[in-house]
Amino acid sequence: MTRRHTLPHVTDVPQETLDDATAVLTSALAGDSDGVVGTFDAVVDRCGVAGAYEVAWCLAATMVGDGVPMGAWTLDFPGIDEAGYDARWVARFVSAYANADGDTGAALFGAALADGQLPDCLLTLAGSAVATLRHRAG
């Protein structure tokens, strides 16, 4: 029997978005980058870029987890300026989520799209979410 991966840290999101985020995580956990890309492509075809943003926001929520106190959070990522575009983007996107700053999250998403970096950023986000889940599982 296989365990279905769920997104317990996200509420008030359409079930279809949660299902898409779960599909991304399932593919990423299996090491299937084509599956991750295919799911995001299907979301964009069905819901546009805004749908892909919602799925990415769900992945950030999964990384941050439950029980995070409200308030201002700062990004603590030594060497972030030397990191690749996708790693900087993920760190800042997750930080925006942790600060409940949807405007910054949307701006980051739009910038990555305009820069032609969004596919790589989304793959890195999915990989980071999986690494976080594995770390929590021990």
Side-chain angles (χ1 to χ4, degrees):
M1 178 150 71
T2 60
R3 182 174 165 225
R4 185 166 190 263
H5 300 285
T6 60
L7 302 165
H9 313 296
V10 183
T11 59
D12 299 328
V13 175
Q15 186 60 48
E16 186 174 50
T17 301
L18 295 175
D19 292 344
D20 291 330
T22 299
V24 167
L25 285 174
T26 300
S27 292
L29 282 163
D32 181 9
S33 59
D34 289 340
V36 171
V37 171
T39 300
F40 273 112
D41 285 347
V43 170
V44 170
D45 289 347
R46 189 179 66 246
C47 305
V49 175
Y53 171 83
E54 293 299 325
V55 171
W57 204 243
C58 287
L59 296 177
T62 299
M63 290 178 68
V64 171
D66 289 331
V68 176
M70 297 303 289
W73 289 88
T74 59
L75 181 62
D76 184 17
F77 187 141
I80 193 167
D81 293 328
E82 291 80 36
Y85 186 106
D86 56 336
R88 288 191 318 267
W89 184 89
V90 168
R92 291 177 175 135
F93 190 76
V94 172
S95 178
Y97 176 82
N99 285 298
D101 187 354
D103 290 340
T104 297
L108 287 164
F109 202 86
L113 180 63
D115 292 343
Q117 298 291 322
L118 188 58
D120 289 337
C121 292
L122 294 175
L123 274 173
T124 301
L125 177 62
S128 296
V130 164
T132 300
L133 292 172
R134 287 184 175 144
H135 176 75
R136 282 190 195 130

